Structures are given as C-alpha cells and as structure tokens.
Amino acid sequence: MNTKSIIKHHSSDLALVIGNGINRYGTARTTNSWDELLVQLAKAHLPAPLRSVPPGIALTEFYDVLALKSASSITSSSLQKEFCKLMSAWRHYDHHGWIVEWAQRADRPILTTNFEETLSAAGDCSLHRSKEGGFTDYYPWESYYANGPLSNPADEFGIWHINGMQHYKRSIRLGLSHYMGSVERARSWIHKGNERRIFVGKNQSRWKGYRTWLNAVFNCSLLIFGLSLDETEVFLRWLLIERARYFKKFPDRRRDAWYVYSGDPLSKGKEFFLKGVGVTPVREMSYKAIYAQATWL
C-alpha cells in the first residue's frame, strides 16, 4: 500500500488532511519557511533574539514563550496579526497545484492545519461560507475556499482550515490555550445532548458540525500527510480519538484512515496511538512519492 494506490482505490470517499510538510518539499521551503518566520518574530520581540529555532520546541510552546519573554508589551491578537503579515509572501508551487487539481477532479475535500492561502491560490479558489448568521472570526469553521458554494463539506471539493485561516487573523491557533479552546468548542458540538444524541447525528444533516469541516472528519476516509502528528498536535489527535469512539459505537459507519510519512520509522508511542484510533501508518521511501506529479495524476 502506498499513497498512489490509496488515492486510486479510495477516491470516492477520501478527504485529504494536509500539514506544513507540503511547504517544506522542494523549493517551497525557500519562501514558505516556518523556521524563518519564527526567527523574525523572535528578533522583533525577544531581548536576546534567536538565530535559529532551537530543537525540541513546538510551535505552540514557541508562541507561548515568545509572549511571556517579550521585551515589549504584546497581545495575542497582535502576534496573530504579525504571523499573518509574514505569511502573506508565501506562494504555491507545482506540487500544491497537483494535489489541489486532484481534489477538484475527484470532488473531494481538503482539510489543512496550515493558516496560509497557498492551496486556495493554487486552485484559484474564492472564500465562501456554508451558512448565514452566527459568525465569529475566532472560529470561522463554516468558512472555506472553493470554486463555488457547497452543500455538504464531506462530499464536495473545498479547502478547510482546521487551525484557523490567514484571512481571519484572530482565528489562527498558536498557543496551547488556543488549541484547548478549539477542543472545547468542538466538544460542545460533538457531545451536545445525551449519550445517544452524541453519536446518532454525525451522519445526518441536523448535527451542528454538518456544514463545517468536522463533517468530513466523521464521514470520510482520511489521507493524512505533511504532519508530524506528534504529542503537540493536541486538537487533531483528540479529534481522531473522538472519531474512533464514534466508529466503535457505530461500526457500520467506520471509515478508513492512513498516515503517510517518510524518513525515520515511527516511534513506538506514535505507532501505538495511530493504530489505536484506527489510522494505518504508510511509510514512503521518499517525499517525492507523496508530492510528485505522478502520484496525483
């Protein structure tokens, strides 16, 4: 089993879950660099600026330390605004386009943990909302990029930003408290009502997450790539646990999931977690096998 075979045999119910690895492939890393972005912020705000991001620190931790140690008085919203300004120069490359074009042809959703608009630019997409009223730019979960309005996020092409989007600066999730806020918001939607109502509605139009990317999480097979998916990915890992709980209660609604990676073998802990929540690890011999045009033709 590899990325190409998964795409070929599961295109009818697949949702792509894409992390920042897509911006580290090939020449994209020369312009779309998280490390450079973080170093620039550190130079602006820390009394002893960094020349590089030290190993062993996650983005969430870096952001929290930056806010705590800043020589100036900065707010969470001002840092979010700076993040978005620095990302405005990021651009899409051929491999962004190949992946988005596949999703457009297959009419399948993309869920990304990234904030920037490289994928939507690659697909010449515009911003839409799936419902009227009740909007908050802190959690624009009904907002998506597509080539037109959608009826069901799980059945049509659209690009959804799980951790916030550059267009709505206050939505981007940076610190740990931001991610815990996302968990609490999603929990209130997933676990609204008694235990039976918790799970019965996930494949029906009346549940609260139906018009958001959450609907794809519970009703699509997931192809996850470009993500470390380590212990710091608290929100996405929690969603995978809730997804597994849902399928345990309703096994006839079970959907597949794959975690594609390259490089070193998985740690025992990560492998244990992935298999425990119903995600099959798929190791590719190179990143080219994930991002090359031949994979997405």
Side-chain angles (χ1 to χ4, degrees):
M1 181 186 298
N2 58 24
T3 309
K4 189 174 180 65
S5 65
I6 294 168
I7 291 167
K8 179 179 179 180
H9 296 293
H10 299 272
S11 61
S12 63
D13 74 334
L14 205 60
L16 307 181
V17 183
I18 304 176
N20 192 54
I22 195 171
N23 290 318
R24 299 175 65 89
Y25 177 71
T27 53
R29 65 169 67 111
T30 62
T31 59
N32 304 359
S33 171
W34 265 118
D35 286 355
E36 180 60 28
L37 185 152
L38 296 177
V39 167
Q40 289 185 54
L41 286 174
K43 287 179 178 178
H45 294 290
L46 293 182
L50 301 174
R51 292 186 178 181
S52 61
V53 178
I57 189 167
L59 170 62
T60 53
E61 297 164 336
F62 187 95
Y63 169 81
D64 287 332
V65 170
L66 188 65
L68 287 169
K69 297 294 185 180
S70 173
S72 60
S73 178
I74 56 173
T75 64
S76 176
S77 59
S78 64
L79 273 178
Q80 289 167 309
K81 186 176 181 179
E82 286 187 61
F83 262 78
C84 292
K85 182 178 180 180
L86 291 170
M87 285 188 295
S88 64
W90 290 21
R91 49 165 293 193
H92 62 89
Y93 289 81
D94 287 343
H95 61 283
H96 292 86
W98 298 329
I99 293 169
V100 173
E101 286 168 12
W102 176 88
Q104 289 171 321
R105 288 195 308 270
D107 208 16
R108 303 310 304 159
I110 293 175
L111 281 55
T112 180
T113 58
N114 302 338
F115 309 133
E116 90 291 333
E117 299 170 359
T118 53
L119 291 170
S120 53
D124 195 24
C125 301
S126 54
L127 184 62
H128 300 267
R129 285 192 64 228
S130 58
K131 73 171 189 177
E132 300 295 331
F135 175 76
T136 168
D137 65 342
Y138 282 102
Y139 299 101
W141 290 0
E142 294 94 354
S143 298
Y144 59 93
Y145 288 95
N147 305 116
L150 307 183
S151 299
N152 184 347
D155 287 339
E156 300 169 84
F157 166 75
I159 300 170
W160 303 81
H161 291 260
I162 295 174
N163 289 335
M165 55 206 309
Q166 183 182 339
H167 185 82
Y168 298 114
K169 298 174 178 60
R170 296 195 300 177
S171 72
I172 65 173
R173 308 290 89 187
L174 296 173
L176 185 58
S177 60
H178 285 157
Y179 283 93
M180 296 313 295
S182 293
V183 169
E184 288 305 310
R185 182 173 180 82
R187 185 193 299 276
S188 71
W189 290 11
I190 296 169
H191 294 291
K192 186 177 181 180
N194 58 39
E195 182 66 18
R196 179 162 181 78
R197 286 177 59 200
I198 285 172
F199 292 108
V200 166
K202 296 299 173 293
N203 65 341
Q204 299 172 11
S205 61
R206 65 173 177 266
W207 88 282
K208 195 168 183 180
Y210 180 78
R211 294 194 176 276
T212 75
W213 52 267
L214 283 168
N215 200 35
V217 170
F218 286 95
N219 292 290
C220 294
S221 294
L222 305 178
L223 180 62
I224 306 167
F225 60 95
L227 275 166
S228 63
L229 207 58
D230 58 20
E231 302 92 321
T232 63
E233 293 274 1
V234 290
F235 183 36
L236 187 51
R237 285 172 70 122
W238 174 78
L239 283 171
L240 291 174
I241 291 171
E242 293 302 302
R243 184 176 185 268
R245 290 183 61 214
Y246 173 58
F247 293 153
K248 183 176 181 180
K249 192 173 183 69
F250 295 98
D252 59 308
R253 301 179 192 173
R254 188 179 302 276
R255 295 290 185 271
D256 294 315
W258 300 270
Y259 173 72
V260 180
Y261 67 102
S262 187
D264 296 334
L266 296 181
S267 66
K268 294 295 184 183
K270 183 183 287 188
E271 185 176 14
F272 177 81
F273 170 78
L274 291 172
K275 291 182 177 179
V277 296
V279 179
T280 302
V282 177
R283 187 183 184 190
E284 293 282 16
M285 296 306 296
S286 68
Y287 291 107
K288 183 178 180 179
I290 303 173
Y291 297 109
Q293 184 180 22
T295 301
W296 299 94
L297 285 175

